[in-house]
Amino acid sequence: MDGPPADDFYSVCHSSFNILCQSNCSHWFCGNCIMLVWHHGLALQLCRCPLCRRQITLLIPGEASLRQQHDPEAAKILEKVETYNWLFGGGTNGIVQKMRDLQFLLQRLLRELLDPRRSLPLVIRARVYIAMFLSAVYIVSPVDIIPEGLLGTVGFLDDLLIVLICSLHVAAIYRSVLYFRHGGS
C-alpha cells in the first residue's frame, strides 16, 4: 500500500490528499500542507507532525506524487519536499529517534524488497540480506556471548541485542537510500 486508506482525508486541510507524502512517523500528508506547516514555524527547525507531534526527519513522496512531476505545481511542491529532506534528512539522529523510525523504515523496506516493480540497488539488497542472514546464524548457533544453557532467559538477551543491532543497521542503510532518493545530493 503506497498511500493512505482510500476513504481517508487529511486532518489539517480536511480535503482529499494531494501530492502525497509519508513522514517518518508513518502519517500521510498533502505535500503542500505539510510544507505550509513547516514554514509556519521556524524554517531552520524540524517540522513536527500535526497528528502525533513527533519530529519529521524525512518526508517520502508517494509513487502517485512522483508520477506528477511533469505538472509545474506538483514539481514545485516536490522540490520543497526535497529541500526539507536535504536540510533535515541526512542529519545524525539520536538512538531514541532511530528506535522510533525503526518500524516505519523496516515496513517500507520489506514492501520494497517484495515488490518486483521497485528498484533497490543490488549492493543495498546484498547488504540487507547478509545482515539478516548473519543475525539468523548467530541466533541459531550454539555459540553465544551469554549462553542460554547456563543462564536461561537472561542468555536470550544477547540474541535480542544482536537482532536489534542488525535491525538498526538495516534501517540506517535503507534510510540513506531514501535520503538520497528524495533529497540528498
Side-chain angles (χ1 to χ4, degrees), residues 8-185:
D8 202 6
F9 64 92
Y10 183 47
S11 62
V12 172
C13 66
H14 299 287
S15 171
S16 60
F17 289 96
N18 184 17
I19 313 296
L20 283 171
C21 290
Q22 187 178 26
S23 68
N24 57 299
C25 60
S26 299
H27 290 121
W28 289 93
F29 302 102
C30 300
N32 192 42
C33 291
I34 196 65
M35 289 294 99
L36 288 173
V37 168
W38 174 46
H39 286 298
H40 181 70
L42 297 174
L44 294 177
Q45 284 188 344
L46 287 166
C47 178
R48 291 198 175 270
C49 175
L51 301 173
C52 68
R53 305 304 299 158
R54 279 186 47 197
Q55 289 184 336
I56 297 175
T57 58
L58 191 63
L59 285 170
I60 303 165
E63 295 294 322
S65 301
L66 294 174
R67 287 191 290 270
Q68 296 177 2
Q69 283 182 323
H70 62 278
D71 177 24
E73 189 173 317
K76 186 177 176 183
I77 294 169
L78 290 171
E79 186 177 316
K80 288 179 183 179
V81 169
E82 248 184 54
T83 301
Y84 184 89
N85 286 337
W86 181 77
L87 287 171
F88 304 114
T92 57
N93 298 322
I95 189 71
V96 173
Q97 184 66 39
K98 289 179 182 179
M99 294 292 288
R100 287 180 174 174
D101 292 348
L102 189 62
Q103 178 187 2
F104 165 73
L105 292 169
L106 292 180
Q107 284 176 343
R108 278 193 75 92
L109 174 64
L110 183 62
R111 275 198 320 261
E112 193 157 338
L113 286 172
L114 297 177
D115 189 354
R117 295 174 293 155
R118 296 183 185 217
S119 62
L120 196 60
L122 181 62
V123 173
I124 301 299
R125 280 182 187 265
R127 287 177 68 183
V128 168
Y129 290 140
I130 288 170
M132 290 188 316
F133 175 75
L134 290 177
S135 66
V137 165
Y138 181 81
I139 290 170
V140 173
S141 75
V143 178
D144 280 337
I145 296 170
I146 305 172
E148 285 92 5
L150 295 175
L151 299 173
T153 56
V154 174
F156 187 63
L157 292 177
D158 69 327
D159 293 342
L160 292 177
L161 183 65
I162 295 297
V163 169
L164 177 65
I165 290 170
C166 176
S167 299
L168 287 171
H169 176 68
V170 167
I173 292 170
Y174 187 60
R175 182 182 176 81
S176 68
V177 168
L178 291 175
Y179 171 69
F180 284 110
R181 256 189 215 161
H182 304 292
S185 301

